[in-house]
């Protein structure tokens, strides 16, 4: 919305692999995808046992380079420290609220999980974190100090006020009185909105982008994200959500209770066997 060409690399995809490689809201087209894969195959074949995350990361970075994006938003697959996306040197590092997920790989305590997440912090690269549990804060602070990464933690170094969630989105007010609203539903989106705004403000402060609050607000109101409290029908009201760990199950439960309190609820649930199904269904 501020006039930049933006590449977005995310995982997982929901319907089509090409959803992982997006520029200005449009996924990579099939022909360009095939051409890029063909161009990179010799490099991929040259590495023994190269994995799917490495292949898709290379594809995304090569695509964004070829299209000369101004900004690339690169999401880790899981963890961070040993993730293939960690080959990049970002302009700002962002850590969203931590929870218990991928515990078979990242550990069974928040401190262990935070250690993996903090692995994306780099010397001289500013970092922004959403509010975190105390156990995670200590690890993030220690890692940031160890590598020399300036860290701004929402809830400690800066504050925001979350407004009650509505069916049109989630609003927060910052310390300086400015108000921003995202179209994404649920009170948990307040922390995500703060993290995104913190990243934008950091890029602006370090001279990487020039921002206009009116344009930023326009962009935030236009955000759509499939599978996150996504209303796909209104008669009857049908909502899709990808909650797959206890923390996201609580966020879903709280959001549905706040946004649709008058509705009788029918839950259809499916999961991979590796998830903590008992805890998730207990919360729901």
């Amino acid at each position: 919305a501020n006039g930049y060409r933006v590449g977005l690399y995310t995982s997982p995809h929901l319907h089509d692999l090409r959803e992982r490689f997006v520029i200005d809201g449009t996924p990579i087209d099939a022909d360009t995808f095939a051409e890029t894969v063909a161009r990179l195959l010799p490099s991929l074949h040259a590495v023994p046992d190269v994995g799917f995350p490495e292949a898709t990361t290379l594809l995304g970075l090569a695509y964004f380079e070829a299209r000369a994006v101004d900004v690339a938003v690169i999401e880790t697959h899981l963890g961070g420290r040993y993730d293939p996306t960690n080959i990049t040197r970002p302009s700002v590092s962002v850590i969203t609220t931590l929870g218990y997920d991928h515990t078979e790989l990242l550990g069974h305590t928040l401190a262990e999980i935070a250690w993996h997440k903090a692995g994306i912090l780099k010397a001289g690269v500013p970092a922004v974190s959403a509010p975190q549990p105390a156990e995670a804060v200590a690890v993030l602070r220690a890692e940031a100090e160890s590598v020399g990464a300036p860290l701004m933690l929402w809830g400690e170094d800066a504050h925001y006020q979350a407004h009650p969630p509505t069916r049109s989105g989630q609003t927060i007010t910052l310390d300086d009185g400015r108000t921003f609203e995202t179209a994404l539903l649920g009170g948990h989106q307040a922390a995500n909105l703060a993290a995104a705004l913190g990243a934008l403000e950091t890029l602006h402060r370090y001279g990487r982008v020039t921002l206009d609050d009116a344009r930023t607000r326009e962009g935030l109101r236009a955000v759509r994200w499939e599978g996150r409290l996504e209303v796909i029908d209104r008669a009857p009201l049908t909502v899709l959500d990808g909650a797959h760990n206890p923390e996201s199950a609580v966020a879903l439960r709280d959001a549905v209770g706040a946004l649709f309190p008058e509705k009788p609820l029918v839950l259809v649930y499916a999961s991979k066997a590796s998830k903590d199904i008992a805890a998730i269904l207990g919360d729901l």
Side-chain angles (χ1 to χ4, degrees), residues 13-283:
H13 59 277
L14 296 182
H15 303 291
D16 189 311
L17 181 67
R18 294 181 297 118
E19 297 168 23
R20 297 173 180 246
F21 319 99
V22 172
I23 295 179
D24 288 346
T26 301
I28 187 172
D29 66 85
D31 289 341
T32 303
F33 178 81
E35 292 164 4
T36 307
V37 170
R39 179 164 61 86
L40 296 175
L41 271 179
S43 298
L44 294 170
H45 286 157
V47 180
D49 301 321
V50 68
F52 180 79
E54 290 82 12
T56 54
T57 298
L58 178 63
L59 202 158
L61 295 177
Y63 175 52
F64 295 159
E65 180 187 41
R67 294 301 170 95
V69 300
D70 301 308
V71 180
V73 180
I74 308 294
E75 181 189 16
T76 60
H77 300 87
L78 59 87
R81 188 174 297 271
Y82 302 126
D83 194 86
T85 58
N86 207 20
I87 63 169
T88 61
R89 179 175 173 83
S91 297
V92 59
S93 304
V94 185
I95 299 177
T96 54
T97 304
L98 303 186
Y100 293 96
D101 199 13
H102 302 294
T103 52
E104 71 281 3
L105 297 173
L106 304 182
H108 294 273
T109 69
L110 285 178
E112 290 175 309
I113 294 170
W115 180 83
H116 280 276
K117 301 287 188 179
I120 68 170
L121 302 179
K122 295 177 172 63
V125 176
V128 174
S129 172
Q132 302 289 359
E135 189 180 353
V137 169
V139 175
L140 296 180
R141 291 278 195 207
E143 183 76 14
E145 184 175 343
S146 172
V147 303
L151 174 64
M152 190 281 280
L153 178 69
W154 282 107
E156 292 192 5
D157 304 315
H159 300 83
Y160 64 87
Q161 177 185 355
H163 296 225
T166 72
R167 295 186 189 183
S168 63
Q170 179 62 47
T171 302
I172 66 173
T173 298
L174 306 183
D175 279 340
D176 59 14
R178 289 181 297 159
T179 296
F180 295 90
E181 178 189 11
T182 175
L184 299 178
L185 302 182
H188 55 287
Q189 294 295 351
N192 292 330
L193 176 54
L197 288 170
L200 279 174
E201 295 285 333
T202 300
L203 291 173
H204 179 71
R205 190 166 64 251
Y206 281 76
R208 299 301 181 100
V209 298
T210 301
L211 301 174
D212 176 83
D213 280 355
R215 289 184 174 185
T216 299
R217 291 188 177 96
E218 177 186 331
L220 289 168
R221 283 192 290 266
V223 169
R224 299 293 180 268
W225 201 250
E226 291 182 338
R228 274 76 169 180
L229 274 170
E230 179 191 5
V231 178
I232 62 168
D233 201 350
R234 295 189 180 276
L237 181 68
T238 309
V239 180
L240 289 180
D241 192 85
H244 57 272
N245 60 30
E247 289 80 10
S248 58
V250 169
L252 173 60
R253 179 194 68 197
D254 292 346
V256 169
L259 296 173
F260 312 111
E262 77 285 1
K263 300 289 184 181
L265 301 179
V266 176
L267 174 68
V268 179
Y269 176 80
S271 176
K272 294 176 68 174
S274 60
K275 301 303 179 184
D276 190 351
I277 296 174
I280 294 169
L281 285 180
D283 291 324

